[in-house]
Amino acid sequence: MNKVLDVIKSRRSIRRYLPDPLGQEELDAILEAGAYAPSAHNDQPWHFTVIRNRELIDRISRVSKERMAAQDTGWIREMGRKEDFHLFYHAPAVVVVSMRRDALSPLVDCSAAIENMLLAAESLDVGSCWIGLAGYWFSLRDEVARLGLPEGYEPCYAVALGRKGHRPSRALPRKAPPPSFID
Ligand SMILES: Cc1cc2nc3c(=O)[nH]c(=O)nc-3n(C[C@H](O)[C@H](O)[C@H](O)COP(=O)(O)O)c2cc1C
């Protein structure tokens, strides 16, 4: 099978990581792949913050969980209260993806960048997981100030990256209905 198609079908969310740090070269390659995503009006309205500081990674997890534990939605509340749950699964690196607020289509563009990063990571046998739950931390202005983001940017998602601590089976067949063709 074509290599790109194989990577697309092999990628899975990794939820256990080895503590080993990633090499700078592979990290750079993953970030560069993110920056090569398409974007509306070619705005490229993303900013990537790579956090390798264990204390900050753990802090984001802890503070997010505190907020999750107070939510009405049962599964989020339960995850927040679970002692052994770590928002980033103890990954050694977390990329916070921030979007430029005044761009044409910032959230979609940043999501395209994230998918590029996940696929690039898989192609290098680096584990990754898209982390939306970091939004509980992103909504705290004083906390986000720690990222030192450029003016006009706000974080939207995070990506956990690291050496795979487990190897899930290949993805199950997709649930969505098959495409329709109109010829
Ligand atoms: C917008 C978005 C947010 C997500 N947030 C989380 C998250 O906070 N934690 C997590 O473990 N997985 C998260 N995921 C990963 C999905 O759970 C995962 O992609 C899905 O279950 C399919 O599994 P696969 O990635 O192994 O194919 C998120 C995915 C997307 C697209």
Side-chain angles (χ1 to χ4, degrees):
M1 195 191 295
N2 164 300
K3 275 189 193 155
V4 175
L5 296 179
D6 189 43
V7 165
I8 288 171
K9 292 185 80 173
S10 307
R11 185 211 56 78
R12 297 295 315 275
S13 293
I14 296 300
R15 297 192 172 93
R16 205 176 315 138
Y17 292 92
L18 304 180
D20 326 15
L22 291 176
Q24 187 63 45
E25 258 181 46
E26 47 194 354
L27 197 48
D28 289 343
I30 291 167
L31 297 170
E32 187 181 39
Y36 270 78
S39 61
H41 192 241
N42 197 20
D43 276 343
Q44 303 175 35
W46 41 68
H47 179 81
F48 307 139
T49 309
V50 182
I51 308 177
R52 287 180 287 201
N53 179 298
R54 169 58 44 207
E55 269 175 37
L56 183 55
I57 291 173
D58 290 345
R59 180 186 179 90
I60 299 174
S61 174
R62 179 174 51 77
V63 174
S64 300
K65 283 179 64 185
E66 282 167 11
R67 301 208 55 220
M68 288 164 63
Q71 299 302 310
D72 289 337
T73 311
W75 68 269
I76 293 180
R77 194 174 54 237
E78 290 317 309
M79 276 176 109
R81 290 180 182 176
K82 230 171 140 195
E83 215 163 291
D84 62 354
F85 173 66
H86 189 281
L87 202 76
F88 305 110
Y89 308 101
H90 304 285
V94 170
V95 181
V96 173
V97 177
S98 301
M99 54 185 180
R100 209 188 72 223
R101 274 189 225 100
D102 68 357
L104 206 59
S105 183
L107 188 59
V108 173
D109 297 344
C110 285
S111 298
I114 292 171
E115 178 65 358
N116 266 16
M117 285 195 266
L118 303 188
L119 294 176
E122 176 62 26
S123 77
L124 297 166
D125 199 30
V126 169
S128 68
C129 191
W130 188 323
I131 308 289
L133 290 171
Y136 286 101
W137 188 80
F138 297 156
S139 56
L140 301 172
R141 192 196 289 230
D142 291 350
E143 290 286 323
V144 169
R146 293 166 188 270
L147 300 178
L149 292 177
E151 191 55 38
Y153 284 77
E154 68 179 79
C156 53
Y157 289 116
V159 177
L161 290 173
R163 302 248 159 271
K164 296 176 184 176
H166 69 140
R167 292 192 177 266
S169 60
R170 277 173 84 93
L172 297 171
R174 300 288 93 176
K175 284 192 280 193
S180 320
F181 294 90
I182 301 175
D183 295 319

